[in-house]
Amino acid sequence: MKQTIFAGTQGNLAVVEAGHGEGLPVLFLHADSGRASQWAEMLEPIGRDRKVYALDSRGSGDSSPAANGDYSYTGRAQDIIDTAAAFKLERFIIVAHSGSGAAALDYAARYADRVAGLFLLDPATDPRALPDEVRAGMLEALAGACEP
């Protein structure tokens, strides 16, 4: 495994590379609070017959914060665009965890011909789809205990 840091649209992006072979490459995207190293145990076995890449999204791990402060899913999809260009990934599989799933979906919607497969692990839920009482309970719990 080796780490490469390259200039992305909004700052430097760090990618861990591993694997070899002619199989479809796989790009791993970490959870919102994660980093590329969360995929370390997966890179070797999946990389036996293909190149594998694990991206540190903007502001995570060894990647720079976004110069424009944009951490939206669309902004993070730009990191996927930048990574695909930097590593010349013409067609590849995306494995995305948690909030990166939304960034992967954004990318796949715009570049469907480049995405050979999409695996979403514990994807973020759109809170607008939750029943009102569930959403209200979550917001109450996030507010924490109020002390006088």
Side-chain angles (χ1 to χ4, degrees), residues 15 25-29 52-55 80 83 89 92-96:
V15 174
V26 179
L27 175 63
F28 291 88
L29 306 173
V52 291
Y53 306 88
L55 169 65
I80 301 169
T83 301
L89 302 176
F92 57 101
I93 298 164
I94 299 175
V95 177

Side-chain angles (χ1 to χ4, degrees), residues 1 37-46:
M1 282 189 278
S37 61
Q38 83 177 52
W39 299 109
E41 291 181 30
M42 302 302 301
L43 298 182
E44 184 179 330
I46 293 177

Side-chain angles (χ1 to χ4, degrees), residues 6-13 58-59 63-71 75-76 78-79 82:
F6 67 95
T9 303
Q10 292 300 319
N12 288 337
L13 294 173
R58 54 181 68 193
S63 289
S64 302
N68 66 356
D70 181 6
Y71 295 91
R76 289 166 54 192
Q78 182 62 51
D79 296 345
D82 293 345

Side-chain angles (χ1 to χ4, degrees), residues 29-34 38-39 73 76 95-105 119-126:
L29 306 173
H30 61 75
D32 287 342
S33 317
Q38 83 177 52
W39 299 109
Y73 296 134
R76 289 166 54 192
V95 177
H97 183 209
S98 190
S100 285
L105 288 170
F119 180 76
L120 304 179
L121 175 65
D122 191 25
T125 301
D126 183 345

Side-chain angles (χ1 to χ4, degrees), residues 81-117:
I81 295 167
D82 293 345
T83 301
F87 293 94
K88 298 177 175 54
L89 302 176
E90 295 298 321
R91 189 157 165 76
F92 57 101
I93 298 164
I94 299 175
V95 177
H97 183 209
S98 190
S100 285
L105 288 170
D106 184 293
Y107 177 85
R110 290 189 275 156
Y111 300 95
D113 58 319
R114 300 186 84 178
V115 178

